[in-house]
Amino acid sequence: MARAYADTHADPDQDSDDAVRILAAAAEGIAEAGDQERARGLLSDLETAANSVTRHNQRNWSFTRLSRAAAKSGDLDLAERGARVITNPRARGSAFAELAEAAAHTGPRAERWVAEALHLAGWSASLDALVALAEEVVPVVADEYVRLTRVSR
């Protein structure tokens, strides 16, 4: 239904914003209801819609929604790809924070993502992700944060 609605009601003058909004909301809602497999089924269409957005700010917004929906659906690779397309540093950092929180117990990738979130968006955007990680992981995140900070100078 979300695909059909997006196809027939998306406003061509609005780029693919409407399709992104509809598909992301459907994927996130289905994932939150516990059906990750069905939610992941919408992600391909959502990625296509996000890729077709051409306006800079809307493109950042579209990939933020894609990253969030993919993280909630358990597709961490797509969530990371989506986050990396975002050009606004604070928005990208927030996307990495959401991704790290969703992947809190998956190991080194989550640690790297929260460090990237800290580096790009600061502590306030990253606190939930830090809390989601185990306490013993915080020194590893701190080391990765220091490494990223040194690299960017």
Side-chain angles (χ1 to χ4, degrees):
M1 287 175 59
R3 285 184 190 108
Y5 187 86
D7 288 344
T8 59
H9 290 85
D11 182 351
D13 295 331
Q14 292 292 319
D15 244 345
S16 295
D17 297 355
D18 292 339
V20 169
R21 186 180 343 275
I22 293 162
L23 292 166
E28 288 175 36
I30 293 168
E32 288 171 5
D35 192 347
Q36 268 64 20
E37 178 127 356
R38 182 169 285 169
R40 281 192 295 272
L42 290 173
L43 295 178
S44 176
D45 292 335
L46 176 54
E47 185 176 24
T48 299
N51 275 313
S52 68
V53 173
T54 57
R55 291 175 294 151
H56 180 71
N57 287 338
Q58 290 307 106
R59 188 168 173 81
N60 280 331
W61 176 87
S62 295
F63 279 96
T64 297
R65 291 300 303 263
L66 170 64
S67 182
R68 180 181 301 135
K72 287 182 178 182
S73 301
D75 189 338
L76 302 180
D77 293 331
L78 177 58
E80 181 178 22
R81 278 196 320 270
R84 293 207 181 279
V85 173
I86 301 166
T87 58
N88 176 289
R90 186 147 185 86
R92 179 189 277 186
S94 293
F96 276 118
E98 288 182 15
L99 179 53
E101 190 175 356
H105 303 290
T106 63
R109 290 195 324 169
E111 296 160 8
R112 187 179 69 246
W113 292 330
V114 76
E116 288 191 55
L118 283 165
H119 176 67
L120 293 166
W123 290 98
S124 63
S126 308
L127 285 177
D128 288 339
L130 277 170
V131 170
L133 293 174
E135 189 174 312
E136 62 274 6
V137 171
V138 174
V140 176
V141 171
D143 290 344
E144 183 69 10
Y145 174 73
V146 168
R147 186 191 68 74
L148 287 169
T149 303
R150 286 183 184 150
V151 168
S152 69
R153 289 184 185 170

